[in-house]
Amino acid sequence: MVKSNLMGYVRRSNNGKALKISINKEAFEKAETYTTQDGQEYVSLIIRLDTIYQLIEGKKDVTNVTQILNE
């Protein structure tokens, strides 16, 4: 079963020249991680491209950042 956890949100900056990513601290601390061959630990996050394009074009105000979990 595939499950997704809401991790945070993405918005355009006030001047529209950057994207602001806000990740919930508690969700990040509980997130699943993976380890690379060199021993670095990462959290894999997903942001849908179509919603990022809509943010950039000003058609959408906010979108979500999620983590996909395979259970």
Side-chain angles (χ1 to χ4, degrees):
M1 180 176 162
V2 177
K3 180 182 173 186
S4 66
N5 285 342
L6 177 64
M7 300 295 291
Y9 298 96
V10 180
R11 295 175 180 80
R12 283 182 6 146
S13 64
N14 290 337
N15 65 11
K17 294 183 180 182
L19 295 177
K20 295 169 58 174
I21 302 172
S22 301
I23 304 296
N24 180 280
K25 183 180 177 186
E26 185 176 333
F28 193 78
E29 290 170 350
K30 292 179 180 180
E32 284 189 4
T33 62
Y34 67 94
T35 305
T36 58
Q37 288 183 351
D38 63 359
Q40 296 290 318
E41 194 170 4
Y42 291 88
V43 174
S44 179
L45 302 175
I46 303 292
I47 306 170
R48 290 181 43 165
L49 278 177
D50 61 334
T51 59
I52 289 294
Y53 292 138
Q54 291 174 18
L55 280 175
I56 292 168
E57 295 170 354
K59 296 178 181 176
K60 193 172 182 86
D61 293 328
V62 66
T63 192
N64 60 335
V65 178
T66 59
Q67 182 177 55
I68 305 298
L69 307 171
N70 292 313
E71 296 184 339

